[in-house]
Amino acid sequence: MSTSDEKQVGYVYSEEYVDLCCKMPRLEDRARLVHHLIQAYNLVDKMKVARPKPASIEEICAFHSSDFVNTLQACHNFDMEDEITSEMTEYGLGYDCPLFPDVFSYASFVTGGTITAARLLTSRCCSIAINWFGGWHHAKRDMASGFCYCNDVVLGVLHLKTVFDKILYIDLDLHHGDGVEDAFLMTDKVFTLSFHKYAPGFFPGTGSISTIGKGKGQYYTLNIPLKDGITDQKYTDLFHEVFTNVMQAFQPNAVVCQFGADGLVEDPMRSFNLTSLSLGKCLSDILSYNLPTLCLGGGGYNFTNTAKCWCYLTSIILEQKLDTQIPEHQFFDRYGPDFELFLSPSNRSDTNESSYVKEIREKTLG
Ligand SMILES: CN(c1ccc(C(=O)NO)cc1)S(=O)(=O)c1ccc(-c2ccccn2)s1
Ligand SMILES: [Zn+2]
């Protein structure tokens, strides 16, 4: 394999895939904005584009129960007027995870997208693979949750484990990556590291610093619970310290990172005060180890800011400098009034007092 292949970056995309991702009611046209901004910055041509196939039932059942998958599949013609049955709610479908006519195609395609990306790494075709429309970290074996129908992250990690011995999973979404943590809580082959908001009544309510794994998996789960208002500097300093310690102790053979953008300033979740620069610095830290790396999306409900963020992360992966002005393209008008690629933090207060961060450091770094 030539060295150029080793640096090859895989990008999971097809027009059909983006169209399907835009059918999820809470995500409207986010996927279209993300892809078209990456395209507008001429980054797509610098990557190996991989068209995803929907994951098969068999592939999805490598993690999910067949009862759950059959119920989800049976919702494929669900119409907005249809009644939500008790069986649907039993599997988390209908409220936190709205039902819509193409829900099963959506869930199986997103899952197929992450498996396709993982295959680019296991086949050694690429060293970095991107599926910005995956990262649905809340779904459990038999429960949809938090806009997550199938847990594409778990299924991607399971595929990577067929080739790579030890996998580090990093979750940078605003929300705790509970579904992935649960799936690998008892194994020492997958280390799950999650930075997230942890507050009374905030979804999903898990992710305490005291959750460290169980059985053979004890000490292979690490949670960094944070409070509202955290800034780039504090977040990236903490990430760098914790991440380098985990890399030294665990020495993974591959890395999966979920870059949920709902911790960014101006996100409707109104929690953290991060800009794209913080996720960018975390990504640069990760890439500095030159390990096979799978990059996934996740939350992010200010769609233009999410597009700006993931486009910026794509440029870091490709080592391309971007113009700070959004280029003219089909969705240019959505980026007004400033048409700036980079975000500015707000002046909201940071409730992560120094004493709290010191306590987190002492409890996690020893
Ligand atoms: C179902 N819930 C979620 C949704 C998404 C996430 C998430 O992004 N996880 O990473 C978590 C919980 S929830 O009850 O907290 C919400 C319902 C609607 C939400 C919302 C938030 C912003 C914009 C539109 N909708 S959050
Ligand atoms: Zn989230």
Side-chain angles (χ1 to χ4, degrees):
M1 175 174 63
S2 75
T3 48
S4 62
D5 287 357
E6 282 162 6
K7 293 296 287 176
Q8 183 77 2
V9 175
Y11 177 67
V12 175
Y13 166 74
S14 71
E15 196 171 336
E16 177 192 17
Y17 182 41
V18 166
D19 287 347
L20 204 48
C21 288
C22 292
K23 290 186 186 284
M24 199 292 197
R26 297 287 189 280
L27 296 174
E28 289 93 23
D29 58 356
R30 190 182 78 164
R32 208 164 282 126
L33 284 169
V34 170
H35 172 71
H36 281 270
L37 190 61
I38 293 170
Q39 174 89 36
Y41 273 106
N42 301 314
L43 297 177
V44 176
D45 292 344
K46 296 177 172 63
M47 296 185 278
K48 175 177 180 53
V49 176
R51 297 177 62 87
K53 286 187 303 167
S56 65
I57 300 280
E58 186 187 7
E59 285 173 320
I60 297 171
C61 287
F63 173 60
H64 290 285
S65 71
S66 49
D67 287 351
F68 169 71
V69 177
N70 291 339
T71 304
L72 182 63
Q73 191 175 22
C75 296
H76 74 285
N77 275 331
F78 187 89
D79 198 286
M80 297 325 218
E81 281 70 55
D82 290 345
E83 181 210 351
I84 295 172
T85 65
S86 57
E87 188 192 13
M88 293 170 184
T89 50
E90 178 192 340
Y91 289 111
L93 298 167
Y95 296 104
D96 282 5
C97 295
L99 289 171
F100 50 100
D102 296 304
V103 64
F104 186 73
S105 297
Y106 164 75
S108 54
F109 238 112
V110 164
T111 303
T114 296
I115 294 172
T116 298
R119 284 201 180 108
L120 292 172
L121 301 180
T122 53
S123 64
R124 309 289 179 169
C125 162
C126 300
S127 58
I128 302 167
I130 301 168
N131 179 23
W132 289 134
F133 312 132
W136 301 105
H137 56 170
H138 295 309
K140 308 297 186 313
R141 179 174 179 276
D142 51 7
M143 180 72 74
S145 170
F147 295 173
C148 305
Y149 299 86
C150 294
N151 200 312
D152 64 290
V153 184
V154 170
L155 287 161
V157 170
L158 289 175
H159 178 74
L160 291 175
K161 277 176 84 264
T162 63
V163 168
F164 303 109
D165 182 36
K166 293 188 286 182
I167 313 289
L168 170 59
Y169 172 65
I170 302 166
D171 193 305
L172 302 183
D173 192 283
L174 174 69
H175 300 88
H176 174 233
D178 57 337
V180 187
E181 178 180 284
D182 285 359
F184 300 112
L185 196 68
M186 301 188 71
T187 177
D188 57 357
K189 296 296 185 188
V190 179
F191 192 111
T192 61
L193 169 61
S194 181
F195 291 70
H196 48 268
K197 174 175 175 176
Y198 185 72
F202 186 73
F203 188 96
T206 52
S208 152
I209 200 163
S210 59
T211 305
I212 58 169
K214 280 183 183 168
K216 283 176 69 176
Q218 191 170 18
Y219 309 121
Y220 290 87
T221 293
L222 183 54
N223 284 306
I224 306 295
L226 300 168
K227 301 177 182 177
D228 279 344
I230 194 163
T231 58
D232 286 344
Q233 189 66 55
K234 198 174 282 183
Y235 188 92
T236 54
D237 286 351
L238 192 54
F239 176 86
H240 183 78
E241 268 189 277
V242 171
F243 170 66
T244 44
N245 267 273
V246 169
M247 288 301 289
Q248 187 182 7
F250 183 57
Q251 297 186 10
N253 309 105
V255 180
V256 178
C257 193
Q258 196 265 24
F259 289 100
D262 42 7
L264 294 179
V265 62
E266 297 167 13
D267 191 276
M269 294 286 185
R270 297 192 52 73
S271 296
F272 290 174
N273 191 12
L274 301 176
T275 74
S276 309
L277 298 181
S278 53
L279 293 183
K281 277 185 84 172
C282 296
L283 174 58
S284 297
D285 270 3
I286 294 164
L287 295 179
S288 70
Y289 286 82
N290 292 314
L291 289 171
T293 302
L294 173 58
C295 298
L296 301 172
Y301 305 101
N302 178 313
F303 298 161
T304 48
N305 282 359
T306 300
K308 292 179 183 180
C309 180
W310 292 346
C311 183
Y312 172 59
L313 296 187
T314 307
S315 76
I316 289 175
I317 292 166
L318 292 168
E319 300 173 358
Q320 296 289 314
K321 197 164 168 48
L322 299 184
D323 191 316
T324 59
Q325 281 300 298
I326 300 291
E328 178 59 53
H329 70 294
Q330 181 181 348
F331 297 102
F332 178 76
D333 296 347
R334 298 279 292 272
Y335 293 88
D338 57 303
F339 304 98
E340 281 278 338
L341 173 64
F342 295 105
L343 311 178
S344 301
S346 74
N347 57 7
R348 44 201 309 245
S349 59
D350 177 0
T351 61
N352 295 272
E353 311 85 358
S354 301
S355 55
Y356 177 72
V357 177
K358 183 169 180 287
E359 182 191 344
I360 294 282
R361 275 201 176 88
E362 283 165 1
K363 284 184 177 178
T364 54
L365 302 171

